[in-house]
Amino acid sequence: MKKEISICNITAKPDQKAQGFINILDTETKMPITIINGKKEGKTVLITAGVHGCEYPGIRTAIELAKEINPQDISGNIIIVHVVNTAGFEKRRAAIMPEDNKNILRVFPGDGNGTISDKIAHVITNELISKVDYYFDIHGGDLHEELIPHLYYPAKADEEVVNKCIEIAKHFNVAYYAPSNNINGTFTSAAINKNIPSLLIERGGCGLCKEEEVNLYKDDILNILSVLNVIKYERCSKEFSPKEIKKAIYLDARVDGCWTCFVKPGQAIKKGEKLGEISDYFGNIIDTYYAEFDSTVLYNTVAYYVSKGNSLVAYGRS
């Protein structure tokens, strides 16, 4: 007989959907979550959105899928966290958790005795990731970013896990899939520490929540759930056949100043091409950035001001 699923204070019985907020340990912070316990046996899939609170297409995708998916149509289970970083979402703070100024994406697997970001990561790792077979962390360009749809797989995980991740990546409607060498991200920590195939997907940006991007995101997630035999679904359309990025540059600002970018996501660029420049408050150029090799732009920062260490442009080649 199929079992019920409990996460913190929320329980879903077989053929049932349960929704509510889970508490983050001893804090007042809560996360909205939906547990969909399918009618039949199958894989358990975790989907998180809003690790960065202003990446709106992923958040809306999570909210709408949680509402629309019927447990009777499911083989297995789906756990959806609608917004991980609720404070960042409500306060419109890009990239960080306002209470401790940390990037939640970078503190996994977390620490139950740490600051709020560490505790959130600890709960996701131990209460959510530990219960699933696959994990998808859905993102999008933040308030200051624009991008071409792409995703990242955990390159530092065991070979078998990496291979599973790459096979799943090929089913997404994104232009590129790239290796991540981080070991402390949401999806990378899940793959390395728990041996769970995991991906981080990027779609949207600039603080926009376009309906067409949300629809494409939903189509992608439902298609992947179909690939995993969790739900029956026929893809609406597919714009891209994803290519693997073999070499990438993630360019950060070397100085503070006013940033002007000369390239766009998806643009093919040549070695030596000027990518952008930083000037001071008087319009004097103080730093210039050039491409190191022929490649394609994955994302860029659209914010006019950047601080030293901020991301500027990412580009890569197959």
Side-chain angles (χ1 to χ4, degrees):
M1 180 180 292
K2 201 168 188 294
K3 298 179 180 180
E4 65 182 24
I5 302 176
S6 293
I7 296 175
C8 296
N9 56 312
I10 301 174
T11 299
K13 295 180 180 180
D15 196 18
Q16 185 184 82
K17 180 188 298 186
Q19 296 182 308
F21 290 85
I22 61 173
N23 290 29
I24 303 301
L25 302 180
D26 56 350
T27 75
E28 296 182 358
T29 299
K30 299 181 179 181
M31 291 192 303
I33 186 173
T34 294
I35 305 171
I36 307 173
N37 193 336
K39 188 174 184 178
K40 301 177 182 178
E41 295 286 354
K43 299 178 179 68
T44 299
V45 177
L46 170 64
I47 299 166
T48 57
V51 169
H52 298 144
C54 297
E55 298 183 350
Y56 300 131
I59 295 171
R60 182 173 166 187
T61 294
I63 291 172
E64 293 189 3
L65 285 177
K67 184 177 182 180
E68 294 167 3
I69 294 175
N70 189 328
Q72 293 188 347
D73 298 328
I74 300 301
S75 296
N77 314 287
I78 305 172
I79 303 168
I80 302 175
V81 180
H82 306 191
V83 189
V84 170
N85 184 354
T86 52
F89 178 60
E90 293 167 2
K91 298 179 184 298
R92 300 180 190 170
R93 293 290 300 275
I96 64 169
M97 162 59 72
E99 294 178 42
D100 58 11
N101 286 318
K102 289 183 179 179
N103 182 345
I104 297 174
L105 186 67
R106 296 289 176 248
V107 300
F108 279 76
D111 181 356
N113 296 312
T115 63
I116 184 60
S117 293
D118 303 308
K119 291 180 178 181
I120 288 172
H122 176 83
V123 169
I124 291 175
T125 298
N126 294 283
E127 296 293 338
L128 301 174
I129 291 173
S130 62
K131 294 180 170 69
V132 306
D133 301 301
Y134 291 89
Y135 173 35
F136 302 105
D137 191 22
I138 55 179
H139 285 249
D142 218 313
L143 293 176
H144 55 282
E145 299 168 333
E146 61 179 349
L147 55 83
I148 188 170
H150 65 283
L151 61 79
Y152 296 95
Y153 67 87
K156 296 296 185 180
D158 289 345
E159 184 178 0
E160 181 179 356
V161 174
V162 171
N163 290 338
K164 285 183 179 180
C165 292
I166 291 174
E167 283 306 308
I168 298 169
K170 294 176 182 177
H171 291 278
F172 275 87
N173 183 18
V174 299
Y176 300 98
Y177 60 97
S180 171
N181 291 314
N182 288 326
I183 60 173
N184 60 348
T186 48
F187 70 109
T188 50
S189 176
I192 294 169
N193 298 322
K194 302 290 187 180
N195 289 321
I196 295 171
S198 310
L199 297 171
L200 185 152
I201 306 96
E202 298 271 12
R203 184 185 294 277
C206 298
L208 301 175
C209 192
K210 297 180 180 179
E211 186 171 359
E212 60 267 32
E213 290 178 337
V214 174
N215 288 337
L216 286 168
Y217 230 147
K218 288 165 66 176
D219 184 51
D220 241 355
I221 297 301
L222 289 170
N223 180 65
I224 292 304
L225 292 173
S226 177
V227 169
L228 297 175
N229 297 313
V230 174
I231 194 171
K232 291 183 179 179
Y233 181 77
E234 186 174 344
R235 181 186 282 284
C236 296
S237 62
K238 193 175 184 190
E239 179 183 359
F240 300 107
S241 293
K243 300 177 182 178
E244 183 174 10
I245 293 294
K246 299 288 182 62
K247 182 178 181 180
I249 295 289
Y250 300 93
L251 190 62
D252 294 334
R254 295 184 289 255
V255 295
D256 301 341
C258 302
W259 164 247
T260 300
C261 188
F262 299 135
V263 295
K264 304 288 278 184
Q267 178 179 333
I269 54 177
K270 297 290 186 181
K271 180 179 180 179
E273 185 171 345
K274 185 187 291 187
L275 303 176
E277 59 192 20
I278 296 177
S279 60
D280 62 19
Y281 284 118
F282 302 97
N284 302 305
I285 297 171
I286 53 179
D287 206 1
T288 305
Y289 301 83
Y290 299 91
E292 294 186 17
F293 49 82
D294 294 357
S295 51
T296 301
V297 178
L298 298 175
Y299 64 80
N300 65 274
T301 290
V302 297
Y304 186 42
Y305 184 84
V306 294
S307 299
K308 182 178 179 179
N310 285 169
S311 173
L312 297 178
V313 179
Y315 57 94
R317 68 184 181 200
S318 300

